[in-house]
């Protein structure tokens, strides 16, 4: 493959409410197959990839493979670092204080949602001299695709979405009411597959209640942080990785059984948000429209006592964000007050235009995974029905990270669906 790096200066505020004239950097890396000559490449249409998150930088590819191999046959792939991530004016506990007070920091972060990401993308498209382009949104990238279809459909040739049909309205609470149920069902499925791991999880939880264990960063591993390894449940083959994590959790020591350094090191890589603090800060805001989210997952959790860290046999959790993240994770602790202000914010702007989506003319195809624990199947189909012409391919063969298992096949299927309409 050949790569090229692109930097753009885009307005911090595309909509006129923030500091006039202030800009942020938007970085994107272009990937092209060497099967195309330089002359042929110049004629290829662009495909913009919008990754999941929020708060994750664009994928860094060592080679074309999976969906990128399929896409590179027909496109120049543009891998965007969404604002605040990677090389696009990155945000973390060290950089955010440059904005001033905690209130100033929260106001700044209000410009880092899907509506602003879409406006960046349109500015980039025009700077590249591209006509309407193809977008591919995975997970949160699919949420951004719906915002794109709402506010700038003239910039789109077609849209592909995998595991990313967001609810268009309603409080964040109903998202978590649905996803907690799906995570509970996925726990049951996992423990049915690996019965011995039910005892292993319970043993670790009991051990952590009575014995102090510390992660490599020096922070104590609590039961609730350990439960975060449930993020493995969102994938097909990742459940096997969870089993491998648990199988050698304990080692014998002169003081009795203790959690092994190897286990603690792996857990730290899963539960720390040092690499993507925006995920924790902005996660619930992706559902915020006209009202505060007010720590929705934490409130809804009270209806699901089986997830309590004090439960006799606690279940593993999913991608939810709780206030205690900002007390127990050293990468998030300095951002605690900012997170509270974002949770309390009650004047979030709309992320979607239901009327415009009901009149949509852009070819759209979406993969919906029947047992997705992150983006609920029923809420996804509700959204699909509200977008004119959106074609759904539903599958029970994959979980949320389906493109990691068969990216080439899924991408090709969705592209075929959009082409069947357009052509």
């Amino acid at each position: 493959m050949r790569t090229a790096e692109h930097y753009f200066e885009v307005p911090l505020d595309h909509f006129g409410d923030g500091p006039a004239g202030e800009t942020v950097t938007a970085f994107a890396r272009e990937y092209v197959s060497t099967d195309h000559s330089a002359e042929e490449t110049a004629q290829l249409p662009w495909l913009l990839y919008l990754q999941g998150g929020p708060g994750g930088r664009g994928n860094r590819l060592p080679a074309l493979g999976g969906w990128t191999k399929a896409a590179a046959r027909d496109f120049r792939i543009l891998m965007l670092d969404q604002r605040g991530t990677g090389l696009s004016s990155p945000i973390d506990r060290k950089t955010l204080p440059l904005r001033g007070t905690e209130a100033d920091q929260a106001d700044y972060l209000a410009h880092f949602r899907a509506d602003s990401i879409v406006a960046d993308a349109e500015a980039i498209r025009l700077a590249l001299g591209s006509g309407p382009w193809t977008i591919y949104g995975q997970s949160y990238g699919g949420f951004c695709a719906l915002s794109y279809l709402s506010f700038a459909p003239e910039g789109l040739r077609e849209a592909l979405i995998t595991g990313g049909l967001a609810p268009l309205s309603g409080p964040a609470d109903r998202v978590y009411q649905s996803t907690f149920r799906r995570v509970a069902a996925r726990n049951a499925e996992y423990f049915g597959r690996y019965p011995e791991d039910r005892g292993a999880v319970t043993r670790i939880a009991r051990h952590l209640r009575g014995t102090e264990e510390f992660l490599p960063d020096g922070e104590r591993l609590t039961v609730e942080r350990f439960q975060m390894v449930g993020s493995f449940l969102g994938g097909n083959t990742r459940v096997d990785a969870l089993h491998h994590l648990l199988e050698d959790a304990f080692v014998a020591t002169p003081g009795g059984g203790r959690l092994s350094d190897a286990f603690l090191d792996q857990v730290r890589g899963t539960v720390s948000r040092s690499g993507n603090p925006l995920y924790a800060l902005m996660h619930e805001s992706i559902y915020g429209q006209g009202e505060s989210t007010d720590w929705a997952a934490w409130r809804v959790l009270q209806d699901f006592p089986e997830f309590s860290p004090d439960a006799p046999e606690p279940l593993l959790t999913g991608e939810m964000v709780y206030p205690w993240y900002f007390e127990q994770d050293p990468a998030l602790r300095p951002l605690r007050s900012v997170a509270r202000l974002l949770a309390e914010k009650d004047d979030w702007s709309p992320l979607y235009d239901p009327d415009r989506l009901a009149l949509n003319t852009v070819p759209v195809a979406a993969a919906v995974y029947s047992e997705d624990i992150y983006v609920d199947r029923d809420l996804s189909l509700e959204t699909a029905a509200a977008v004119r012409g959106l074609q759904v391919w539903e599958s029970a063969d994959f979980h949320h990270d389906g493109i990691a298992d068969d990216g080439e096949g899924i991408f090709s299927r969705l592209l075929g669906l959009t082409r069947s309409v357009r052509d």
Side-chain angles (χ1 to χ4, degrees), residues 240-290:
D240 300 307
L242 175 58
H243 173 67
H244 297 150
L245 169 69
L246 296 173
E247 68 183 0
D248 58 356
F250 284 95
V251 291
T253 77
R258 298 296 298 264
L259 296 179
S260 71
D261 285 345
F263 172 81
L264 292 167
D265 184 63
Q266 293 176 77
V267 169
R268 191 266 174 190
T270 299
V271 306
S272 172
R273 292 297 177 194
S274 60
N276 59 343
L278 271 185
Y279 180 89
L281 282 167
M282 303 299 293
H283 181 73
E284 287 200 354
S285 79
I286 68 179
Y287 302 112
Q289 300 188 88

Side-chain angles (χ1 to χ4, degrees), residues 217-258:
D217 60 7
E219 292 299 312
R220 184 175 179 180
L221 177 60
T222 60
V223 177
E224 51 267 37
R225 288 193 85 186
F226 163 64
Q227 288 174 279
M228 293 171 65
V229 302
S231 61
F232 283 95
L233 299 175
N236 277 35
T237 57
R238 293 182 72 220
V239 297
D240 300 307
L242 175 58
H243 173 67
H244 297 150
L245 169 69
L246 296 173
E247 68 183 0
D248 58 356
F250 284 95
V251 291
T253 77
R258 298 296 298 264

